Amino acid sequence: MAAEQVDIAIVGAGFAGMYMLHRARGMGLRAVVFETGDGVGGTWYWNRYPGARCDVESMEYSYQFDDDLQQEWSWSERYAAQPEILRYANHVADRFDLKRDIRFETKVTSAHFDDADGLWHVATEGRNGAVDTVAATHLVMATGCLSSANVPHFEGIEDFEGDWYHTGRWPKEGVDFTGKRVAVIGTGSSAIQSIPVIARQAEHLTVFQRTPNYAVPAHNHPVDPERETWFKANYKELREKAKQGRSGQLYSVRDLKWGSEPLETAKAEFARRWDLGGFSYLGAYVDLLVNKEGNDVAAEFVREKIRETVKDPETAELLCPTSVIGCKRLCVDIGYFETYNRDNVSLVDISKAPIERLTKKGLITGGKEYTFDAIVFATGFDAMTGSLNRIDIRGRNGLPLVEKWEAGPRTYLGLTTVGFPNLFLITGPGSPSVLTNMLPTIEQHVDYVSDIIEHLRAHGQKTIEPEQEAEDAWVDHVNAIAGGTLYPSCNSWYLGANVPGKPRVFMPYPGFPAYVKKCQEIAANGYEGFRLG
Ligand code: N01
C-alpha cells in the first residue's frame, strides 16, 4: 500500500508545532503532527517538576496571532506555573480544533529525503510499537530547544534502589517526597525552581552543586486586574514594542553604556531592578554582556545579596558564582537562596570532587557515601541540537544530519540547512530562540516558513534549500556576533559545554530585532541566499 502523503509533516506538538499546524490549515494544506507525549504542550508537557514556572511574564508568554485568543485568556500570576501554561496549550488546541491532526504517542524515528520523488519519508513508531511511514513535501521540526533530557552516565545508576527522576521527564502523577531523604543534582534553572518546593516536603534535601548560578528574584504575585485590562487594551502596541527588545520582551533595556553614569548611580539602578524582579536586572546597561567591568559590578551586587540572605557564611560563599552574569541563562527564583537557611537542607560542593558513582543506597563523592530515598537529576538538556540529532534525519544523497553537524550545527538563519531541501527547523541553532521570549520567536519562524511555502506555491516551485555560501556566511556571522560578547566565557548549554563530547559552538543568535530585519530583507530580495527549484 502506498504511504500516506501530506503537504507538511510536523514533529512536535508544543507551541511551535501547534501554530505550524494552524497556519498550514489556513493555507489549505494537509498537515499532520507527530508527538511522543499523549498531550500538547511540549516543554510544558514534560517539565512537570515541582516549582516549574515560566521566567517570562505570562501576559507576554502567549500567542499573539489571534486577538480573540489573547483577549479571552486570563493569566493568574505574573509568572505562570507549569499547570496553567499546560492548560493554556490545551485551550489553544481545543479552540482551534488542532488535536484531530496530531498523532499522539507517536515518535518519529527517521526522516529521509528521497531525491527521486522529492519527498520526505517520515517513519514513526506509535502505540504498542506500531510502525508507519508518511511522505511529506515539507518537514517542519518543531522539536523544541530544550527537549532532549541530559541524564549523565553515572556509573552504578542501575544499582540505586531508590527512585530517580529527571526534571524534564517528570511523572504525570507527581511525586510525593514527604518523609523522604532527597538529593538534587544540579543548580540550573530547573533546580533553582524545584529546590525550594522539594525542601518544604522532604525530610532532608541535599543539593549537589558543580557550579553555582546567578538568580534574581521573581517577586511573583497575582496579576493585577487593572494591569490586565490595560495590557489587553494595548496588546497590539505592547507586542510591537516587545519585538523591538533584544529578547522580544517588554522589560526595559536602557540605551546607556556601562561607564556613562557614576558607580553609585549604577548600583542604585541595580538595586532598583533587583526590586522589580526578573530579567530586567541585566537591562540596567545595554552592554552588560559585552563590558566585563560593568558585568563584574552587576555580578558582585548579586553575590552581596546572596551573602546577606544565606546565614551560614560558608554555604553563602559556595553559592556565590564567579563567572560572568548572564553568560548562562539568568535564573529567576522564588526563595531559592533562603532555602539554604532551613535545617533540613544541605549543600555539597562537587566542583573539585565529582560524583564518582551511584550505589544501592545513594551516591559517592569525595570518597564519602551519601544515602537517599530519591535522586532528582536537574542536569539539563542536550540543548538545541539534541532533539534533532536523536532522529535519523537524512538529506540529499542519504547524508545524515548528525554527520553534517559533526563539528557543530550549520544553518542558514537557524531555519534551514544545505543538503536538506524543504526541511525547516523552528527556533533552530543560529536563530535567536533561547535568548528570547520563545512565543513571539516561534510565531516569527512559523510565519516565515508559511510565507516561504506560499511563495513556492505561487511560483510553481517545489523545493527550497540554502546556498552553501549563504550558510557559511550566516555561520560566520553568528560566530562573529557571539564572539564579540562575554557569552563564550563560561561553560553553558548555549555552547553545548554541558554534554561531554559535544562540539563547543555558540548556538543561538544574539539579537531578535536585527534577526527579524535580516529575515525580512532576505524575503524582500526574493529569498536571497536560497535556491528555489
Ligand atoms: O539545566 P542547566 P536546567 N554532575 O543545564 C549540573 C530552561 N528552563 O534544566 O553548571 C553534576 O541550566 C550543571 O552543572 P554545570 C532555561 O533556559 C527554563 O536547569 O554544568 N552536575 C547545572 O548546574 C534553562 O537555562 C525555566 O557545572 C551536573 C545543572 O546540572 C534551561 O532550561 C525553568 C552534571 C544543569 O543546569 C536549562 O535549565 C527551567 C553532572 N554530571 C529551565 N551534569 C523557566 O523558568 C550537569 N550538571 C522558563
Side-chain angles (χ1 to χ4, degrees):
M1 199 173 75
E4 177 188 0
Q5 194 173 331
V6 296
D7 298 309
I8 310 185
I10 301 164
V11 189
F15 285 120
M18 290 195 328
Y19 182 45
M20 189 70 244
L21 172 60
H22 178 67
R23 284 297 321 258
R25 281 193 190 156
M27 294 188 285
L29 300 177
R30 167 95 183 94
V32 62
V33 181
F34 301 106
E35 167 57 53
T36 313
D38 68 1
V40 297
T43 285
W44 301 103
Y45 174 92
W46 298 106
N47 284 268
R48 297 166 190 250
Y49 59 84
R53 174 181 297 282
C54 195
D55 54 7
V56 172
E57 297 203 24
S58 49
M59 292 298 296
E60 297 180 57
Y61 193 80
S62 54
Y63 287 120
Q64 53 192 286
F65 67 82
D66 185 286
D67 193 45
D68 290 343
L69 170 66
Q70 66 182 2
Q71 292 297 331
E72 75 195 11
W73 182 264
S74 278
W75 294 102
S76 66
E77 293 179 274
R78 178 182 185 186
Y79 295 102
Q82 176 270 336
E84 189 172 16
I85 304 175
L86 193 57
R87 274 201 301 281
Y88 172 72
N90 276 286
H91 167 76
V92 175
D94 293 338
R95 196 183 188 286
F96 296 99
D97 189 21
L98 299 177
K99 289 178 185 170
R100 68 182 154 89
D101 283 324
I102 304 176
R103 293 185 196 166
F104 293 107
E105 294 178 79
T106 304
K107 197 166 125 183
V108 172
T109 50
S110 68
H112 295 177
F113 182 77
D114 185 340
D115 291 277
D117 61 12
L119 296 173
W120 281 95
H121 294 263
V122 181
T124 61
E125 196 179 300
R127 289 177 193 126
N128 307 319
V131 291
D132 200 2
T133 313
V134 170
T137 310
H138 302 280
L139 175 62
V140 177
M141 301 304 293
T143 38
C145 299
L146 294 156
S147 308
S148 183
N150 170 41
V151 180
H153 300 289
F154 289 121
E155 204 190 312
I157 193 164
E158 64 290 339
D159 298 336
F160 181 57
E161 287 173 348
D163 298 312
W164 66 263
Y165 310 92
H166 186 279
T167 49
R169 285 287 176 278
W170 205 258
K172 261 177 145 178
E173 60 281 8
V175 181
D176 184 2
F177 289 118
T178 308
K180 300 254 168 86
R181 294 159 307 150
V182 183
V184 169
I185 299 174
T187 46
S189 303
S190 305
I192 283 177
Q193 289 186 332
S194 58
I195 283 167
V197 184
I198 297 175
R200 290 199 289 276
Q201 227 182 44
E203 181 192 298
H204 192 91
L205 170 63
T206 309
V207 178
F208 291 87
Q209 172 185 273
R210 190 163 69 179
T211 317
N213 231 321
Y214 293 97
V216 295
H219 298 312
N220 191 34
H221 52 71
V223 170
D224 171 16
E226 267 182 43
R227 181 169 158 81
E228 181 183 356
T229 306
W230 171 80
F231 222 100
K232 286 185 173 176
N234 296 286
Y235 242 140
K236 196 170 184 309
E237 295 73 28
L238 291 169
R239 298 286 203 186
E240 284 313 309
K241 189 173 169 203
K243 285 180 193 161
Q244 302 314 313
R246 65 182 175 202
S247 65
Q249 294 176 64
L250 279 171
Y251 69 77
S252 94
V253 178
R254 294 193 307 165
D255 196 16
L256 281 181
K257 288 199 166 173
W258 177 257
S260 59
E261 293 180 321
L263 189 59
E264 286 319 303
T265 313
K267 286 185 179 171
E269 183 62 15
F270 288 133
R272 191 181 75 79
R273 285 173 181 258
W274 183 268
D275 291 342
L276 285 176
F279 290 140
S280 87
Y281 185 75
L282 285 177
Y285 296 94
V286 69
D287 57 349
L288 282 180
L289 269 157
V290 175
N291 187 308
K292 179 72 166 63
E293 195 188 315
N295 192 288
D296 284 344
V297 178
E300 184 56 23
F301 183 93
V302 178
R303 286 191 287 268
E304 279 168 18
K305 289 284 183 191
I306 297 171
R307 291 180 192 119
E308 269 169 34
T309 308
V310 180
K311 290 187 187 136
D312 173 44
E314 217 174 292
T315 306
E317 226 35 60
L318 283 178
L319 288 167
C320 282
T322 50
S323 61
V324 157
I325 183 170
C327 179
K328 289 183 177 181
R329 184 172 172 115
L330 187 61
C331 303
V332 179
D333 82 289
I334 302 180
Y336 173 64
F337 294 112
E338 290 83 345
T339 299
Y340 291 93
N341 294 332
R342 296 176 66 103
D343 292 336
N344 70 333
V345 175
S346 33
L347 178 68
V348 177
D349 171 25
I350 53 167
S351 59
K352 293 177 197 76
I355 292 169
E356 287 162 34
R357 57 170 289 129
L358 265 61
T359 64
K360 273 184 177 183
K361 302 281 173 213
L363 58 83
I364 298 177
T365 169
K368 181 178 167 191
E369 184 175 20
Y370 296 79
T371 57
F372 301 105
D373 302 306
I375 298 178
V376 175
F377 294 105
T379 43
F381 302 89
D382 181 354
M384 305 205 70
T385 51
S387 51
L388 297 167
N389 284 344
R390 70 185 166 176
I391 300 172
D392 173 19
I393 301 176
R394 294 176 191 226
R396 285 193 198 281
N397 306 316
L399 176 68
L401 186 66
V402 271
E403 204 173 289
K404 174 172 175 182
W405 285 7
E406 211 172 2
R410 299 188 69 81
T411 68
Y412 183 40
L413 297 178
L415 195 63
T416 55
T417 186
V418 174
F420 297 77
N422 292 356
L423 170 71
F424 300 102
L425 315 169
I426 304 298
T427 64
S431 76
S433 58
V434 290
L435 297 178
T436 67
N437 175 3
M438 291 301 289
L439 264 290
T441 308
I442 283 170
E443 283 183 308
Q444 187 259 340
H445 258 192
V446 169
D447 288 339
Y448 203 69
V449 170
S450 305
D451 289 349
I452 287 177
I453 293 174
E454 292 226 296
H455 180 94
L456 291 177
R457 293 204 312 158
H459 292 80
Q461 291 158 324
K462 289 210 165 65
T463 57
I464 182 162
E465 186 184 340
E467 288 173 0
Q468 191 63 56
E469 309 81 73
E471 180 171 293
D472 292 346
W474 186 254
V475 172
D476 290 347
H477 176 59
V478 178
N479 286 339
I481 294 197
T485 70
L486 298 170
Y487 280 121
S489 69
C490 71
N491 290 327
S492 68
W493 57 258
Y494 293 146
L495 282 159
N498 62 327
V499 176
K502 193 166 172 174
R504 195 180 170 95
V505 174
F506 190 79
M507 292 180 283
Y509 179 95
F512 185 56
Y515 175 82
V516 174
K517 191 163 170 261
K518 186 73 189 161
C519 287
Q520 287 165 344
E521 283 168 9
I522 287 170
N525 292 333
Y527 292 102
E528 195 179 7
F530 285 106
R531 197 176 328 128
L532 310 175

